[in-house]
Amino acid sequence: MWPLLLLPLAAPQTPLFQARELTVGDAVVTTTCGSPAKDYILEVNGGGLLAEDFDGDGHLDLVVVNGSTIARAQAGEPSLDSRLLLGDGEGFFRDAGPRWSLAGGTWGMGGAVGDVNEDGWPDLFLTEWGENRLFLNDGGRGFVDVTAGLPGEGDVRRPTGLAGDRWSTSAAFLDYDGDGHLDLVVVNYLAFHLGELRGPGDGCQWKGHDVMCGPEGMVPVHDQLFRGRGDGTFEDVSVAAGFRPEQACFGLGVMTLDYDADGDTDVYVTNDSMPNHLWENQGDGTFVEVGLRRGVSHDSNGKEQAGMGIGCADVDGDGRADLFVTNFSGERNALYRSSRKTGFRERSDASRLGGPSIQRLGWGTALADLDLDGDVDAFVANGHVYPQADLAGTDTSYAQQDQLFRGDGTGRFDEEPLSQLGPNVTRAAVAADFDEDGDLDVVMIQLDGPVLYLENRAPHDDAHRWLAVRLIGRAGGNRFGLGARVTLELEGGGTRTGEVRGTAGYQAGQPARVHFGLGAAVPRAVVVRWPSGVEQRVEVDGVDRTLVVEAPPR
């Protein structure tokens, strides 16, 4: 039997995205994650990306989270520097300078953005292999590293409560208990120790080839939940809230959503080679894991998969959020369509998202209206974990074509290349309007290479319009409205819905705002259900703009 080949996609005349290397001045921005040989599992996940306006100039900025090498780690040297790049609103960036330094750490992965001390400025949490780090935003003037503790009386520092020494991948801020203070979910992967390295030749094989070992045969580490106090400090409530060690899995991606529309925030976590978790918020400070019961833990055949990235949006217009999960090669990427009766039903093949993914290994992704036609689309960043995928008999390859799937509004999609680039080894990705033209651009981590900036070239005319919604919460609380539900009412009937969240699914964070592609639809009003439960209706006057909604007074 002849081996399957990765056939090139049929390219349209002009791809929706035009890709280039991300630069600062004349220098290309790159990241490192181990050696090109990828002998150890720590070297394959890549770095992270987080987008938000950190300096308050109205333009989106970008944090690029960098990794390290085994040799540096063995020598006790810090991670290669992660960086904040300040955006100019036209899709270009400059170095933020020493006041925004993110130097240090052990081996960077991803992170999350949120206002943890409630001063109105976005702060930064970075996940690491090693100690995670917390940076407070000094009023748009720079970062203050408070990992070792916040200033206290005299020389005594107040612990942040986030201390630990794990391999953390993705993270998400949320207000799970409705007290107005941001809490934090940290997704952990596995126990990896430099003194116990197992590489190719240590009995680990894939399709007849010696490869790096893991995650099978290694010890998973349970995820954590930290309850925020609103002053930059947290309490680890993982076990009390239901995140128990016996439920540990190899966690990679995270998504916040109110899947059951009961007004509180639930948490979905993708796990590598183990069942995915859906943590249902009970409204009393605890969570119950209901992934199997709600149909999002396995594929349609009941098989656990190696989940990586997560997209979340209403793909079929029924007002309920659907979930899209990228998986390992040989497995279908999974679309879990929401179902009022059971939670979700896996519809990968019916959606036409499953088949084109089998030979690829997906990572960063998003569900969003990328071409502004009014229907939700998807993109997938692809690339294998094994360089040996280029050897004979694997039916796949190491570098792979990134994919765009254009939606038709009914839950079905058509595939095409994401950009003009050929195959790459890409990882984390974030979609945001960096050049402020109303469509969502994409930035991607290219493993051990240049970071990629993909400019969206969607048409802008009467059939391709947009509206973005940004919330401003009350002072001294959840200032960015994380967890709010936004419903867009349309002229002539019909609605579109979205939730305010900061996570982009896999080691990435997106701006805390909701972006609607409208097509030719005309918006009438926006209804915001704030995390407090208060509903607010605001008339919409015009399109192709960002609508800023401030929370009503108490």
Side-chain angles (χ1 to χ4, degrees):
M1 181 177 179
W2 293 102
L4 295 173
L5 298 176
L6 283 177
L7 299 177
L9 302 174
Q13 288 186 345
T14 303
L16 181 62
F17 290 88
Q18 184 71 24
R20 59 175 167 83
E21 296 177 346
L22 187 71
T23 58
V24 172
D26 295 329
V28 176
V29 179
T30 63
T31 62
T32 297
C33 191
S35 73
K38 305 303 174 197
D39 289 334
Y40 308 105
I41 193 170
L42 182 59
E43 302 178 293
V44 305
N45 286 3
L49 298 163
L50 301 116
E52 190 50 88
D53 178 11
F54 289 97
D55 60 352
D57 67 351
H59 306 312
L60 287 179
D61 309 311
L62 181 69
V63 172
V64 179
V65 184
N66 209 347
S68 188
T69 66
I70 296 293
R72 289 180 66 92
Q74 288 174 326
E77 297 176 2
S79 174
L80 297 165
D81 287 351
S82 299
R83 303 171 66 183
L84 172 65
L85 308 178
L86 299 179
D88 66 355
E90 297 181 357
F92 294 91
F93 300 85
R94 71 183 189 276
D95 192 85
R99 294 193 60 136
W100 296 94
S101 174
L102 299 173
T106 306
W107 194 306
M109 293 288 159
V113 177
D115 180 13
V116 301
N117 60 352
E118 300 177 2
D119 63 353
W121 292 92
D123 306 306
L124 177 65
F125 175 78
L126 294 183
T127 56
E128 305 254 348
W129 171 70
E131 186 178 23
N132 296 327
R133 297 191 288 160
L134 179 64
F135 295 84
L136 296 185
N137 190 327
D138 182 22
R141 296 179 293 269
F143 283 132
V144 178
D145 187 346
V146 296
T147 304
L150 283 79
E153 295 184 6
D155 295 330
V156 178
R157 284 183 169 267
R158 294 180 295 141
T160 64
L162 300 175
D165 190 8
R166 297 172 172 87
W167 180 354
S168 301
T169 52
S170 299
F173 284 110
L174 72 164
D175 179 9
Y176 80 93
D177 54 2
D179 66 353
H181 305 315
L182 287 189
D183 312 303
L184 178 65
V185 169
V186 178
V187 174
N188 295 312
Y189 194 36
L190 53 80
F192 183 89
H193 306 288
L194 292 176
E196 303 172 2
L197 295 178
R198 295 178 60 204
D202 286 332
C204 299
Q205 287 202 332
W206 171 75
K207 298 194 175 183
H209 302 291
D210 290 336
V211 295
M212 60 89 179
C213 294
E216 290 91 346
M218 295 184 171
V219 179
V221 178
H222 75 95
D223 302 329
Q224 295 167 282
L225 177 65
F226 297 91
R227 185 171 184 267
R229 300 186 178 96
D231 61 356
T233 67
F234 295 80
E235 176 189 4
D236 188 341
V237 296
S238 306
V239 174
F243 290 68
R244 297 183 175 88
E246 60 267 25
Q247 293 174 296
C249 288
F250 303 120
L252 285 176
V254 66
M255 183 61 60
T256 58
L257 73 159
D258 182 9
Y259 94 92
D260 50 5
D262 64 352
D264 51 37
T265 301
D266 311 300
V267 179
Y268 184 61
V269 177
T270 49
N271 295 311
D272 190 356
S273 306
M274 301 182 80
N276 298 325
H277 284 156
L278 177 58
W279 296 99
E280 183 182 284
N281 193 329
Q282 301 300 291
D284 59 0
T286 66
F287 289 81
V288 174
E289 203 290 296
V290 297
L292 179 62
R293 189 191 318 167
R294 299 305 183 195
V296 290
S297 61
H298 299 72
D299 69 9
S300 58
N301 296 315
K303 180 182 179 298
E304 60 193 35
Q305 296 179 288
M308 312 291 180
I310 311 170
C312 184
D314 178 11
V315 304
D316 52 8
D318 65 356
R320 300 188 298 274
D322 307 295
L323 290 165
F324 177 57
V325 176
T326 59
N327 290 309
F328 202 81
S329 65
E331 302 172 345
R332 289 170 169 79
N333 291 342
L335 178 67
Y336 298 105
R337 293 263 300 266
S338 59
S339 168
R340 195 178 300 275
K341 292 182 179 180
T342 62
F344 297 87
R345 301 188 70 180
E346 206 256 280
R347 287 291 182 262
S348 304
D349 288 336
S351 67
R352 301 196 288 255
L353 290 169
S357 68
I358 291 177
Q359 293 172 287
R360 293 174 172 82
L361 199 164
W363 298 85
T365 187
L367 290 176
D369 187 354
L370 300 171
D371 56 10
L372 306 182
D373 67 349
D375 302 321
V376 171
D377 313 301
F379 74 82
V380 180
N382 293 309
H384 219 282
V385 297
Y386 304 129
Q388 296 85 349
D390 286 333
L391 299 177
T394 68
D395 299 338
T396 184
S397 63
Y398 188 50
Q400 301 176 356
Q401 180 79 59
D402 300 320
Q403 297 163 292
L404 170 66
F405 295 90
R406 298 206 196 215
D408 67 0
T410 69
R412 291 190 298 269
F413 298 81
D414 293 313
E415 178 199 18
E416 61 189 60
L418 184 60
S419 73
Q420 84 282 8
L421 296 181
N424 298 291
V425 184
T426 45
R427 292 294 190 259
V430 58
D433 185 12
F434 291 103
D435 57 7
E436 300 174 14
D437 64 353
D439 51 42
L440 297 177
D441 311 298
V442 176
V443 178
M444 288 180 164
I445 291 286
Q446 188 175 209
L447 194 65
D448 301 324
V451 177
L452 300 176
Y453 181 91
L454 281 65
E455 180 186 350
N456 193 328
R457 300 288 184 87
H460 291 259
D461 53 35
D462 288 345
H464 299 84
R465 300 186 295 195
W466 61 276
L467 183 75
V469 180
R470 181 167 67 90
L471 304 185
I472 300 178
R474 298 191 186 105
N478 181 2
R479 290 285 286 171
F480 300 105
L482 294 178
R485 179 181 175 90
V486 179
T487 301
L488 182 65
E489 298 177 350
L490 304 175
E491 295 285 355
T495 59
R496 308 261 171 87
T497 60
E499 289 183 41
V500 180
R501 59 176 63 93
T503 176
Y506 171 74
Q507 292 189 177
Q510 66 182 18
R513 57 203 68 179
V514 178
H515 181 275
F516 294 103
L518 298 173
V522 178
R524 181 177 60 191
V526 162
V527 178
V528 178
R529 187 192 68 192
W530 291 87
S532 64
V534 172
E535 286 201 358
Q536 179 182 11
R537 190 174 188 274
V538 179
E539 299 293 325
V540 175
D541 182 16
V543 297
D544 297 342
R545 58 186 287 248
T546 296
L547 178 66
V548 178
V549 180
E550 296 191 29
R554 289 183 174 85

